[in-house]
Amino acid sequence: MKVQLLVTKTDFSVPNIEREFRHLGIGYQVDYLEDHPDLVARHNIRHSPNILIDGEMAFRYHPTETELKKFFFENKLRH
């Protein structure tokens, strides 16, 4: 599973999201929107942060740790 954190270089929420991913043991990569205009256009991104999972938009906002747990663990257990 490829998890991409799509953010602007000035997004102050990045350290918090990274901490949540590390706490949950979720691997991720950070991609800056300024460096990826193709992703901005493809996903119609208007703000930061955004989270892509395997190339699909999962969150267009900063999810809570509870939301991340539900998405990554509870939803996966049902499949």
Side-chain angles (χ1 to χ4, degrees), residues 50-62:
N50 300 271
I51 299 173
L52 292 182
I53 310 296
D54 294 331
E56 299 294 323
M57 185 63 69
F59 296 96
R60 290 187 180 270
Y61 59 92
H62 180 168

Side-chain angles (χ1 to χ4, degrees), residues 10-67:
T10 59
D11 188 333
F12 63 88
S13 69
V14 174
N16 292 331
I17 298 172
E18 289 185 305
R19 186 177 321 108
E20 290 165 357
F21 279 137
R22 284 191 306 270
H23 182 252
L24 295 172
I26 298 168
Y28 66 95
Q29 71 182 48
V30 175
D31 289 311
Y32 294 105
L33 295 171
E34 295 89 342
D35 299 333
H36 296 279
D38 56 316
L39 290 175
V40 172
R42 184 179 319 135
H43 296 285
N44 195 28
I45 295 173
R46 303 274 184 227
H47 55 78
S48 177
N50 300 271
I51 299 173
L52 292 182
I53 310 296
D54 294 331
E56 299 294 323
M57 185 63 69
F59 296 96
R60 290 187 180 270
Y61 59 92
H62 180 168
T64 65
E65 192 167 327
T66 300
E67 288 174 303

